[in-house]
Amino acid sequence: MLSVLRNRTYRRLFAAQVVALTGTGLATVALSLLAYDLAGADAGAVLGTALALKMAAYVAVAPLAGALADRVPRRALLVSMDLARATVVLALPFVTRVWQVYLLILLLQAASAAFTPAFQATIPQVLPEEHDYTEALSLSRLAYDLESLVSPLLAAALLTLVPYSWLFTGTAAGFLASALLVRTTALPPPPRPEAAGTGTGRLYARVAFGVRLLLATPRLRALLALDLAVAAAGAVVLVDTVLLVRDTLGRPAGDVPLALGAYGAGSMTVALLLPRVLDRADDRAVMVRAALVLPGALVLLALGLTAAPGPWSWPALLAVWLVAGAAGSAVLTPGGRVVRRSAAGGDLPAAFAARFSLSHACWLLAYPLAGGLAAWAGPAVSAAVLAALALLGAVGAARLWPREDPAELEHVHPELPAGHPHLAGAGAHHAHAFHIDALHRRWPAAPGR
């Protein structure tokens, strides 16, 4: 897998991702402590609201950022968003009111919602070979998992030496290092958006384009259903773990990160194995089968919670979290491959932005559902309801994603004159990376397409 790091451009971009993620992990710990200082016993409500604002920013801002990505030089966009994030983080230690935290979090996550899809759309252009891109996706998954494991340990070590406010400085340093790495890296010029020349050119059309692309393409609709399954299972893990460990099992606070670590360990193990697996199996088979494991894991959790806790309960919880992390990684990691196969190069920012936005809409649904049900009816009911939601997503994906799904979709444009740029290098009937004809009235799709 590490062979992909021989590519100098990707190596620098991956380093930028790692240092930015490390900084983000430090900010997560620091924000928890800041919320406690400002709100005391209500710190959980403050953090819950901040998490909701994060998801709302991702859902609302990402499509707009995707529309702007092809109008702004890619490197300038990435660097400016890193600088914006660093500036916001440096202001956090000076807040004195909870509403100020909310405002800064909203600004921080809006910048992240602009940065991440543009960054994701750059990697396929740096690594055009599918095997290399698959390795890059696995490395990215590992980076996210390591951030969730290593950053809290790093934060704990730093807190023995400095006040928690200094953790925000470490976060800003991570964003600045990321900006420097991107600024000094030569990025390939993004292809001209294919959709830009066919629509009115108005910004709102570009904003809607990525969403319409996802909803018009069967495998991308299936990808959204898979995101729902992952969000349902992941919300139970991330929201209910502390309740399960501390209240249901009566274990010490130090076991909470151990349980979350089991989830991360499952995810990392699969991320390491996936490049070889995907060389022999197609994306649909891997992702749909893994998605069907998620509701099964939640059903086992719900059944286990109906019994009295015993010596088996703690290792059983770790095993279920390990399986859930592994299955979630098997669904999420190949997702970038599916998006890349479904959009022309110039439209990748819009496609990634739409997927980023709609996938986080799934999390915005699942987070409060998991937390509210656990508080109202208990963790067993929460696990059972979220299992049903995960099953809905997994089964929906299996039905939406055709078993015979060619990488390129054939379509015709009988209304276009010979020599039209869209037909350059092809006959009247040709293959194209995605069926733009389903999205633009002036290029209607052929019957049955």
Side-chain angles (χ1 to χ4, degrees):
M1 183 191 300
L2 297 180
S3 61
V4 73
L5 294 175
R6 295 171 186 165
N7 183 303
R8 183 177 183 273
T9 299
Y10 173 71
R11 184 170 65 247
R12 295 177 71 85
L13 291 176
F14 180 68
Q17 181 185 28
V18 169
V19 295
L21 283 174
T22 302
T24 301
L26 295 179
T28 300
V29 176
L31 184 62
S32 300
L33 297 171
L34 175 63
Y36 186 80
D37 275 357
L38 292 176
D42 293 329
V46 172
L47 291 174
T49 303
L51 186 61
L53 286 173
K54 171 183 176 180
M55 294 299 159
Y58 283 176
V59 172
V61 175
L64 178 61
L68 292 173
D70 55 63
R71 301 187 177 199
V72 179
R74 184 71 54 81
R75 185 166 60 178
L77 174 64
L78 296 175
V79 171
S80 61
M81 291 302 100
D82 266 337
L83 294 178
R85 294 193 290 182
T87 301
V88 171
V89 166
L90 287 175
L92 276 169
F94 301 101
V95 303
T96 57
R97 298 287 188 273
V98 170
W99 70 264
Q100 296 169 345
V101 174
Y102 294 156
L103 176 61
L104 291 176
I105 290 299
L106 187 61
L107 294 174
L108 176 65
Q109 301 306 337
S112 293
F115 178 94
T116 304
F119 184 89
Q120 291 174 334
T122 302
I123 303 304
Q125 294 161 7
V126 173
L127 301 171
E129 295 296 327
E130 184 166 277
H131 179 77
D132 292 340
Y133 182 52
T134 302
E135 290 189 349
L137 291 174
S138 292
L139 280 176
S140 179
R141 184 76 254 158
L142 282 172
Y144 278 105
D145 291 332
L146 284 172
E147 178 268 323
S148 65
L149 293 175
V150 175
S151 290
L153 298 177
L154 179 60
L158 290 173
L159 288 173
T160 64
L161 304 174
V162 297
Y164 77 81
S165 59
W166 282 85
L167 297 183
F168 290 119
T169 305
T171 301
F175 289 140
L176 291 174
S178 173
L180 180 61
L181 285 165
V182 174
R183 178 65 183 84
T184 56
T185 301
L187 300 181
R192 182 177 180 274
E194 183 163 339
T198 65
T200 63
R202 289 175 292 185
L203 181 60
Y204 79 85
R206 288 295 295 159
V207 171
F209 174 76
V211 175
R212 292 167 64 194
L213 170 61
L214 259 69
L215 299 180
T217 309
R219 57 175 168 247
L220 293 184
R221 290 200 299 268
L223 186 60
L224 182 59
L226 292 170
D227 286 331
L228 178 63
V230 173
V236 173
V237 174
L238 299 177
V239 174
D240 293 347
T241 292
V242 64
L243 179 64
L244 292 170
V245 173
R246 299 289 283 138
D247 290 353
T248 304
L249 300 183
R251 299 189 68 86
D255 283 350
V256 173
L258 290 179
L260 294 174
Y263 182 77
S267 180
M268 286 189 291
T269 300
V270 169
L272 286 169
L273 297 174
L274 265 180
R276 291 184 180 180
V277 173
L278 292 174
D279 282 341
R280 298 188 296 270
D282 66 272
D283 294 334
R284 183 190 185 279
V286 171
M287 297 171 73
V288 171
R289 290 172 184 172
L292 291 170
V293 172
L294 293 171
L298 294 183
V299 167
L300 288 177
L301 173 67
L303 292 175
L305 291 173
T306 61
W312 55 271
S313 301
W314 174 239
L317 179 65
L318 294 180
V320 170
W321 267 206
L322 184 76
V323 170
S329 181
V331 175
L332 289 176
T333 304
R337 287 162 48 109
V338 180
V339 175
R340 188 180 74 157
R341 290 174 182 171
S342 305
D347 292 314
L348 282 175
F352 275 106
R355 195 271 172 117
F356 185 82
S357 173
L358 294 178
S359 65
H360 282 89
C362 297
W363 287 92
L364 188 58
L365 168 67
Y367 272 137
L369 192 59
L373 286 171
W376 173 64
V381 172
S382 176
V385 173
L386 272 294
L389 188 62
L391 182 62
L392 177 66
V395 173
R399 293 179 64 86
L400 289 168
W401 196 335
R403 291 183 181 274
E404 299 298 327
D405 186 36
E408 295 184 334
L409 303 175
E410 291 186 348
H411 61 283
V412 297
H413 301 296
E415 78 291 351
L416 293 183
H420 189 281
H422 185 66
L423 302 179
H429 186 271
H430 62 288
H432 186 39
F434 74 109
H435 46 301
I436 195 171
D437 42 341
L439 308 181
H440 299 282
R441 289 184 179 179
R442 31 183 310 207
W443 291 356
R449 286 292 177 188

